[in-house]
Amino acid sequence: MMGDISPDLFMDAVLAYQQTAAIKAGLELDLFSNIGEGHKTAESLARKTGAAVRGIRILCDYLTARGHLEKHGDQYRLTQSTAAFLDRRSPSWMGSVVEYLAAPEMMALFLGEPAAFVRNGGSIGLANNAPDHPIWVKFARAMGPSRVSLAAKIASELATPSPRKVLDVAAGHGMFGIAIARAVADAQITAIDWDGVLSVAIENADAAGVSARYTTLAGSAFDTDWGSGFDLVLLANFLHQLDQDGCVALLRKARESLVSGGRAVAIEFLLNEDRVSPRFSAMFAFQMLGSTPQGEAYTARQFEDMGRAAGFTTVTTKPLPPTPQSLILFEQV
Amino acid sequence: MMGDISPDLFMDAVLAYQQTAAIKAGLELDLFSNIGEGHKTAESLARKTGAAVRGIRILCDYLTARGHLEKHGDQYRLTQSTAAFLDRRSPSWMGSVVEYLAAPEMMALFLGEPAAFVRNGGSIGLANNAPDHPIWVKFARAMGPSRVSLAAKIASELATPSPRKVLDVAAGHGMFGIAIARAVADAQITAIDWDGVLSVAIENADAAGVSARYTTLAGSAFDTDWGSGFDLVLLANFLHQLDQDGCVALLRKARESLVSGGRAVAIEFLLNEDRVSPRFSAMFAFQMLGSTPQGEAYTARQFEDMGRAAGFTTVTTKPLPPTPQSLILFEQV
């Protein structure tokens, strides 16, 4: 215990599950919106939420110690980031992601037998990856709202040349395809996913006013006949669930469904060649190890190799700052 | 999403339970000792542990991204801190703390219904705080090894004036009382705890060669007759499980069992007046909120008030760097 040698990082990791508990408790009590609305003391927050003052005080102190709140005297305030992402009144609110990313089913995969999926080199996966399991609907509902601004940004990247016929594979909430429908006035979107999930995408397409140009195709991305003539095949946050053979097979299917000059576009967490940076991508690879049978994160070079194996000639990556994600464009020139 | 506004801290908290899973997996596979012994690549570690290369690679990359390991080319290395605390061959190894601090029972208290204990202002507690529940034995076995050096440091602080008759209340693994027995040649230690737990303390006293001066008293700290004539009453990591009335009652009982000039000594996580620093103490208060009915962390002023209410005249606090704990000395001058 001298110099920089300290058990702090280890202890922080051991107790890290308590961070998840604290942020879930704060969201469930809508603490962040309540503080944003002016309930600034533990007493006022306790009255508003019906919780014990002592519980609120200790939770808010913890959230302050971890940087989610500020404390001035006995008053709590939202940090700018917390106001942007955890106050329900903010357009960039993303509190719902806990409903999927820290769902009991998801946490059980990691915490039930943490060494098992490392030993096996993969996880049995959520709901055994069963089609039409309610977890996928939960996913679509939980993750959709947080993707609106990223989807708009990606749509503006992909609006030129204008895609007329777009296929959104494993569409989930459908936000990425829907954003393209909004950005390109005559684009026709076809979304593929499990039937239950597509009902969420259809709701979102309705809300965005693009349902007249939105059709769906229920089933597995691998087994469904996609048809052909697409200008753009979207693979948004899907390839990372597959191993490299699966990625190549799916990219080949994408290529075969494209018109000449069409392109496939993946949205992914790119790893650098060292595979330990950027940090979020390395974390994401572990998330895939623990929650899918064969998924992980890939490097730009791996995507290039997989794209070429699928018959594409050009593979280009483009970061999407400030998000941790990148676009990967697969083209035949 | 501009300037310093970022969802990163929030996302890190949402996914924090995966940190706990990763560190538990690493310890269960004894990855850190294996790397320390020279198994430096994913392939070599996989052979040694019988795990899939892919699982080991992704786990080690994650642990590197989070600062527990270093990576050079395809070789992993222990950081100095990881070598000190997570390699079994190190005398300061503390890997066993996960068996208690991240035990399934403990994680379930926090992650089962995270808002419930905040609403209630406290938790039902581990094993309903039942006496002689196996979890307390687990606690004693898991936490003992990590306390050896802190206990030795505290014993040297308390060795002058030499205490002859020492009471170790809620002794658990017994390490703090045992360290005093080792530091003061004729000190007699009496340890109070549940019967099952005392068997661990007795093992540890045997191993330290002090069992001839070590006696035990089975039962609740509140209900047991402690006897009297003690020079030193140790309250090591116990007061934080109690509310303020409970602390005062226990401190009064301690005072009444002391000889004139004797002292009670608590080991605690002290909060500053702002209650959000030091960070580990604020985290600890939340840990008590989620895992005990009434426990939390207190400030120096609160300990002083509680000590005076119990009849002590002087209350002094003394930090124990580099640990996050402090000594609190209760005296009658």
Side-chain angles (χ1 to χ4, degrees):
Chain A
M1 293 219 211
M2 44 188 290
D4 290 338
I5 300 180
S6 156
D8 290 0
L9 190 71
F10 167 61
M11 288 300 290
D12 226 44
V14 171
L15 300 172
Y17 67 92
Q18 295 179 13
Q19 291 182 49
T20 306
I23 208 82
K24 285 190 83 171
L27 286 165
E28 190 177 328
L29 295 165
D30 212 6
L31 210 57
F32 309 106
S33 309
N34 287 323
I35 294 172
E37 280 169 12
H39 299 277
K40 295 194 182 298
T41 64
E43 289 73 16
S44 169
L45 287 163
R47 269 194 304 276
K48 183 71 191 329
T49 60
V53 174
R54 167 185 148 75
I56 294 288
R57 167 175 61 77
I58 295 174
L59 174 61
C60 288
D61 286 342
Y62 178 91
L63 290 169
T64 303
R66 298 223 64 111
H68 302 283
L69 298 175
E70 294 170 4
K71 188 177 183 184
H72 304 272
D74 65 349
Q75 302 212 321
Y76 300 98
R77 290 187 205 160
L78 304 179
T79 64
Q80 285 190 289
S81 294
T82 298
F85 301 109
L86 300 184
D87 183 333
R88 274 181 198 276
R89 300 165 310 161
S90 163
S92 50
W93 181 74
M94 55 188 285
S96 60
V97 303
V98 296
E99 303 298 331
Y100 178 72
L101 294 175
E105 303 93 319
M106 187 68 96
M107 293 193 290
L109 285 181
F110 285 87
L111 295 172
E113 283 188 76
F117 61 82
V118 177
R119 277 204 188 91
N120 297 337
S123 160
I124 188 165
L126 266 179
N128 298 341
N129 280 313
D132 271 332
H133 191 280
I135 187 74
W136 306 122
V137 178
K138 199 179 222 185
F139 165 80
R141 292 206 188 280
M143 302 302 284
S146 68
R147 297 307 172 91
V148 174
S149 74
L150 175 62
K153 183 186 177 84
I154 289 170
S156 77
E157 293 276 352
L158 300 178
T160 317
S162 276
R164 300 290 159 91
K165 203 175 159 194
V166 177
L167 183 70
D168 189 358
V169 179
H173 40 68
M175 289 304 190
F176 294 105
I178 290 165
I180 290 171
R182 295 188 63 170
V184 180
D186 57 353
Q188 299 278 340
I189 317 295
T190 303
I192 299 181
D193 212 312
W194 307 118
D195 198 44
V197 177
L198 287 173
S199 65
V200 181
I202 289 169
E203 279 174 34
N204 288 332
D206 279 348
V210 301
S211 53
R213 294 181 281 125
Y214 202 79
T215 51
T216 59
L217 205 51
S220 146
F222 281 95
D223 303 334
T224 313
D225 179 357
W226 296 358
S228 61
F230 294 102
D231 302 299
L232 177 62
V233 173
L234 264 183
L235 303 161
N237 290 309
F238 186 46
L239 296 179
H240 55 232
Q241 295 191 29
L242 311 174
D243 65 8
Q244 296 191 47
D245 288 345
C247 289
V248 171
L250 205 77
L251 285 166
R252 186 174 296 120
K253 189 166 177 174
R255 186 179 56 75
E256 289 167 358
S257 72
L258 287 169
V259 296
S260 168
R263 49 191 180 163
V265 176
I267 303 168
E268 282 298 336
F269 297 93
L270 269 191
L271 271 175
N272 293 332
E273 286 298 319
D274 63 13
R275 306 195 82 85
V276 297
S277 65
R279 195 177 73 140
F280 199 88
S281 295
M283 287 168 57
F284 188 80
F286 184 71
Q287 187 178 323
M288 289 300 101
L289 180 71
S291 63
T292 70
Q294 298 176 307
E296 65 170 300
Y298 297 107
T299 65
R301 197 191 320 188
Q302 287 179 306
F303 279 115
E304 190 171 339
D305 290 345
M306 294 189 285
R308 287 182 193 278
F312 289 100
T313 55
T314 311
V315 181
T316 322
T317 61
K318 185 161 190 175
L320 294 164
T323 83
Q325 297 213 281
S326 294
L327 278 187
I328 300 139
L329 300 140
F330 299 89
E331 295 167 289
Q332 298 172 272
V333 183
Chain B
M1 293 219 211
M2 43 188 291
D4 290 341
I5 300 181
S6 156
D8 290 359
L9 191 70
F10 166 60
M11 288 299 292
D12 226 44
V14 171
L15 301 172
Y17 67 91
Q18 295 178 13
Q19 289 183 51
T20 307
I23 209 82
K24 285 190 83 171
L27 286 165
E28 190 177 328
L29 295 164
D30 211 7
L31 211 55
F32 309 106
S33 310
N34 286 325
I35 294 173
E37 279 169 14
H39 299 277
K40 295 195 183 299
T41 64
E43 288 72 17
S44 169
L45 287 162
R47 268 194 304 275
K48 184 70 191 330
T49 61
V53 175
R54 167 186 147 76
I56 294 288
R57 167 175 61 78
I58 296 174
L59 173 62
C60 287
D61 286 343
Y62 177 92
L63 291 169
T64 303
R66 298 223 63 111
H68 302 283
L69 298 175
E70 295 170 3
K71 188 176 183 184
H72 304 272
D74 65 349
Q75 302 212 321
Y76 301 99
R77 290 186 204 161
L78 304 180
T79 64
Q80 283 191 291
S81 295
T82 298
F85 301 108
L86 300 185
D87 183 333
R88 275 181 196 276
R89 300 166 309 161
S90 162
S92 50
W93 182 74
M94 57 188 284
S96 60
V97 303
V98 297
E99 303 297 330
Y100 177 73
L101 294 175
E105 303 93 320
M106 185 69 95
M107 293 194 290
L109 286 180
F110 285 86
L111 296 172
E113 283 188 77
F117 60 82
V118 177
R119 279 205 186 90
N120 297 336
S123 160
I124 189 166
L126 265 179
N128 298 341
N129 280 313
D132 272 332
H133 191 280
I135 187 74
W136 305 122
V137 178
K138 201 180 221 184
F139 165 81
R141 292 205 189 279
M143 302 302 285
S146 68
R147 297 307 172 92
V148 173
S149 74
L150 175 62
K153 183 184 176 84
I154 289 170
S156 77
E157 293 276 351
L158 300 177
T160 317
S162 275
R164 300 290 160 89
K165 205 176 157 191
V166 177
L167 183 70
D168 188 358
V169 178
H173 41 67
M175 289 304 190
F176 295 104
I178 291 165
I180 291 172
R182 295 188 64 171
V184 180
D186 57 354
Q188 299 278 340
I189 317 295
T190 304
I192 298 181
D193 212 312
W194 307 118
D195 198 43
V197 177
L198 288 173
S199 65
V200 181
I202 289 168
E203 279 174 33
N204 288 332
D206 279 348
V210 300
S211 53
R213 292 180 283 124
Y214 202 79
T215 53
T216 59
L217 205 51
S220 146
F222 282 95
D223 302 334
T224 313
D225 179 356
W226 296 359
S228 61
F230 293 103
D231 302 298
L232 177 62
V233 173
L234 264 184
L235 302 161
N237 291 309
F238 186 46
L239 296 179
H240 55 234
Q241 296 192 28
L242 310 174
D243 65 8
Q244 296 191 47
D245 288 347
C247 289
V248 171
L250 205 78
L251 285 166
R252 185 175 295 119
K253 190 166 176 175
R255 186 180 55 75
E256 290 167 358
S257 73
L258 287 169
V259 296
S260 167
R263 52 191 178 162
V265 176
I267 302 167
E268 282 298 337
F269 297 92
L270 268 191
L271 271 175
N272 294 332
E273 286 299 319
D274 63 14
R275 306 196 79 86
V276 297
S277 65
R279 192 177 77 140
F280 199 88
S281 295
M283 288 168 56
F284 188 79
F286 183 71
Q287 189 179 324
M288 290 299 102
L289 180 71
S291 63
T292 69
Q294 299 177 306
E296 65 170 301
Y298 298 107
T299 65
R301 197 192 319 188
Q302 287 179 306
F303 279 116
E304 189 170 340
D305 290 346
M306 295 189 284
R308 287 181 194 277
F312 288 102
T313 55
T314 310
V315 180
T316 321
T317 61
K318 184 160 190 173
L320 293 164
T323 82
Q325 298 213 279
S326 294
L327 277 187
I328 301 139
L329 300 139
F330 299 89
E331 295 168 290
Q332 304 172 77
V333 184

